Amino acid sequence: MSGIRPRRILFALAAALLLAASQTTAADAQFRVGGHGTYQTKFIDGTFGAGGRAEIDLAFLRDGLTLAGTYDHFFVDCENCRSFEVGGELLFGPGPLFVGAGAVYRSVEPGDDTPMLESSREWAFSMIAGIRFPQVPVVTPFGEFRQQLGGSVNSQTFSVGVLVGPGSRRQAPRRPGAGIPSATR
């Protein structure tokens, strides 16, 4: 990955998030935050974890476009080891199904009982597929699969969680007077 700069891609995603926030009013903004449980495989063995997620709809650019930021903390089974991932995702899906791509920064720190394990920090890309269940206007359960590409470890991550915030297709008006026919105002 010598010619590709994943850090620049992640910064571009962050800039798009800031641009989206500045281009929408508070009444139009569709922010969602939530938590999730995670299972990550690395060929045969796997690790459970937990994390958080923030999303913003980029409907002013294209309907169904979403920018997401994720954090995953993994519970590795060695004393004082630490493993986490921070990433950005650009997702597309006007319905409940979505696909996308992202960049992720991985960090693994060895513990006291694993002197042979080296610490590693690296960037990787990920291809994403998932589903949201927007049945309730404020709470949206979701499931997501990420296939990571590049880096030293080829891994797959499964996340299941809940997002809290207005759904992109909610029925309530977004602004005072919105959705009311002009003849009745």
Side-chain angles (χ1 to χ4, degrees):
M1 295 183 48
S2 59
I4 301 172
R5 303 282 183 190
R7 194 177 317 209
R8 289 183 185 170
I9 292 171
L10 194 58
F11 287 134
L13 288 172
L17 179 63
L18 291 173
L19 175 67
S22 68
Q23 296 294 318
T24 59
T25 66
D28 289 334
Q30 295 293 311
F31 294 99
R32 292 178 297 277
V33 296
H36 58 263
T38 300
Y39 180 75
Q40 185 175 72
T41 64
K42 294 177 182 153
F43 297 114
I44 297 172
D45 60 341
T47 304
F48 287 97
R53 181 182 191 90
E55 291 186 353
I56 182 171
D57 286 340
L58 302 176
F60 67 93
L61 295 175
R62 180 160 175 91
D63 189 33
L65 195 61
T66 303
L67 187 63
T70 62
Y71 173 79
D72 297 314
H73 178 84
F74 296 101
F75 308 116
V76 291
D77 56 343
C78 66
E79 191 172 329
N80 297 325
C81 290
R82 290 180 3 126
S83 178
F84 70 89
E85 293 182 353
V86 178
E89 303 174 350
L90 188 59
L91 307 171
F92 179 71
L97 298 175
F98 61 88
V99 295
V104 64
Y105 175 76
R106 271 186 250 209
S107 176
V108 176
E109 295 291 328
D112 300 333
D113 62 341
T114 56
M116 300 301 287
L117 181 68
E118 293 183 25
S119 68
S120 80
R121 292 181 182 91
E122 65 183 0
W123 286 93
F125 291 103
S126 56
M127 302 303 295
I128 302 152
I131 186 167
R132 292 185 190 102
F133 301 97
Q135 297 354 8
V136 180
V138 178
V139 177
T140 305
F142 72 92
E144 181 177 85
F145 171 77
R146 292 182 295 224
Q147 172 63 54
Q148 293 182 353
L149 309 169
S152 62
V153 177
N154 177 9
S155 63
Q156 300 79 34
T157 305
F158 303 92
S159 297
V160 176
V162 175
L163 293 168
V164 178
S168 60
R169 306 233 185 263
R170 72 177 188 175
Q171 300 297 319
R174 299 190 194 316
R175 292 183 296 286
I180 301 173
S182 59
T184 59
R185 281 193 238 174

